[in-house]
Amino acid sequence: MCIRDRYQRRVHGIIICKISMASKNTAFAAKVLTLLFFFGTLCDIASAWSATPHMIMYAIAKKDFKQTTKDKMDKYFGYMKEKDANYHNWYELVCWPDDLKGSELGVLDGWHFYNQAFYDGIKPEDATIIINKEYNVVNSVVQTLELFKKPDNGVMFHKSFMLRYFIHMVGDMHQPLHVTSRVSQQHKDGDKGGNLFFIKHNAKNLHALWDRMMEKSPLVKRPLDQTGINAIESWADTIRKQFTREKLANDLKVKDPWVMAQKMHEIAISEAYGGIKENTEPSKDYLAFRFETCKKLIALAGYRLADFLNEHLQSSLNTLSLIHI
């Protein structure tokens, strides 16, 4: 494990410890939040257009939220609202984890991916990739679901903080190159989910190409105005009509996040890395077919997000007095 990885895991542990402590000390919680939101807003929010697929996913999920789920989410949003100066709605909050990552703080980067290995022309024993089965996006989703089951009393800070990450993590978990790393003779420690798989395209590398839906996702700048919100919701409606719950019924039977990630890993091998070679231009067929896959996976992520939150935020609203920190 490199020094940077050891450092990130150590600081990650410190932050999680501080989050736990913060729920018992609102003054201390304010300091932790100020630190995190300061780093999260260092990047240029207005130009973070690549976050659009995450917002589309959320728009798909929102249509299936129960009223009790909406009430819970508004309650958690309100708990930290004074620290959300640059985030005016849930669409924008969905992007916060990437904004934090873009600030180069790097502490919670592991919550965005799970580097399951795709061994391509190399034996596993000759590879140097480190597969962390604890500090990854899938385990973080599982742990957050367990947190949501707990009563609000005493863990409001935890839930408010983690809900922002959870929505984003569910999206990341359905981007095949967030749960796969190609291991080859050239990259024995993995290609970082296609980030080192360079192509002749505006996207520069395979990961960016998939993050941006083959460069076909709409350009929506933040802070969102009504035109931007309309564009996101229009895309969500179109994708929902094309990939209905009925059409994805078999996929939606899968409830285990680990199985979901394995399915995404298989798609990465067959569709993301399949049909393209490094340092070449993606074919028109590759771009067209994979664009359809991207839309399907965004729909699937949205439906699963709604199902997760409807199930795990079901407990009745209590009368906890909110302390705005």
Side-chain angles (χ1 to χ4, degrees):
M1 183 181 295
C2 69
I3 294 175
R4 181 176 180 272
D5 288 341
R6 288 201 300 268
Y7 169 78
Q8 285 189 358
R9 290 187 67 185
R10 182 179 179 186
V11 178
H12 166 261
I14 292 173
I15 282 193
I16 296 305
C17 178
K18 289 182 181 297
I19 290 174
S20 179
M21 293 169 59
S23 65
K24 300 178 182 179
N25 185 326
T26 56
F28 184 70
K31 295 179 181 178
V32 175
L33 276 173
T34 299
L35 173 66
L36 290 171
F37 278 88
F38 168 74
F39 281 115
T41 55
L42 285 178
C43 57
D44 183 0
I45 289 177
S47 64
W49 65 268
S50 62
T52 305
H54 278 284
M55 293 189 280
I56 294 172
M57 177 212 66
Y58 177 77
I60 290 171
K62 187 176 73 168
K63 289 183 176 294
D64 289 348
F65 288 157
K66 297 177 181 178
Q67 187 58 50
T68 52
T69 301
K70 295 177 183 178
D71 292 343
K72 278 282 190 176
M73 293 177 68
D74 286 343
K75 180 180 181 181
Y76 297 150
F77 178 42
Y79 192 81
M80 287 170 56
K81 190 171 184 179
E82 291 183 10
K83 300 301 176 184
D84 290 331
N86 291 308
Y87 301 88
H88 308 91
N89 51 59
W90 275 106
Y91 287 127
E92 294 180 354
L93 276 174
V94 169
C95 308
W96 177 61
D98 270 349
D99 294 340
L100 186 63
K101 186 178 178 182
S103 71
E104 298 186 1
L105 178 62
V107 176
L108 302 178
D109 283 3
W111 287 1
H112 293 262
F113 66 90
Y114 177 34
N115 59 341
Q116 299 177 94
F118 162 38
Y119 297 103
D120 190 8
I122 187 174
K123 296 179 180 179
E125 57 266 28
D126 295 330
T128 58
I129 187 171
I130 297 173
I131 303 173
N132 194 322
K133 296 185 178 181
E134 294 183 2
Y135 177 38
N136 60 63
V137 64
V138 188
N139 198 40
S140 297
V141 164
V142 172
Q143 291 182 344
T144 305
L145 288 173
E146 290 301 312
L147 170 66
F148 288 157
K149 292 179 182 179
K150 297 181 179 181
D152 286 348
N153 291 318
V155 294
M156 276 293 293
F157 177 87
H158 303 59
K159 289 187 175 183
S160 185
F161 181 90
M162 288 308 303
L163 181 58
R164 290 154 167 75
Y165 252 96
F166 180 80
I167 295 172
H168 189 93
M169 291 189 297
V170 171
D172 278 350
M173 196 172 71
H174 285 80
Q175 205 279 51
L177 292 176
H178 274 260
V179 292
T180 305
S181 190
R182 176 175 172 263
V183 185
S184 63
Q185 291 293 342
Q186 184 181 2
H187 301 295
K188 293 186 177 182
D189 58 348
D191 71 350
K192 301 185 184 300
N195 277 291
L196 300 179
F197 191 110
F198 298 109
I199 57 176
K200 294 181 179 179
H201 189 276
N202 289 336
K204 305 300 183 184
N205 65 68
L206 197 62
H207 187 101
L209 185 65
W210 278 75
D211 260 357
R212 301 170 186 176
M213 299 174 65
M214 307 298 123
E215 294 280 12
K216 292 185 178 181
S217 64
L219 178 60
V220 180
K221 293 186 177 182
R222 292 182 281 145
L224 288 175
D225 56 17
Q226 191 58 49
T227 299
I229 292 175
N230 291 343
I232 291 167
E233 294 183 345
S234 177
W235 268 71
D237 288 342
T238 299
I239 292 175
R240 282 181 64 102
K241 290 177 182 177
Q242 182 179 359
F243 297 99
T244 63
R245 275 186 173 269
E246 291 72 25
K247 194 170 184 177
L248 302 180
N250 286 334
D251 294 297
L252 291 171
K253 291 178 182 178
V254 177
K255 303 298 182 183
D256 184 344
W258 291 104
V259 178
M260 296 176 188
Q262 178 58 35
K263 295 293 185 182
M264 295 302 111
H265 178 61
E266 293 169 4
I267 292 173
I269 295 172
S270 63
E271 296 193 30
Y273 291 109
I276 190 171
K277 295 184 181 298
E278 290 183 86
N279 300 308
T280 64
E281 182 179 355
S283 68
K284 291 182 179 179
D285 285 345
Y286 181 97
L287 295 172
F289 183 77
R290 274 61 176 186
F291 176 55
E292 295 304 308
T293 299
C294 287
K295 290 189 290 182
K296 175 183 176 180
L297 297 182
I298 288 173
L300 186 58
Y303 295 143
R304 283 175 170 166
L305 174 63
D307 292 346
F308 277 144
L309 294 181
N310 284 336
E311 177 182 354
H312 293 274
L313 297 184
Q314 282 234 11
S315 56
S316 60
L317 294 169
N318 60 37
T319 57
L320 177 64
S321 204
L322 299 187
I323 304 174
H324 295 289
I325 56 177

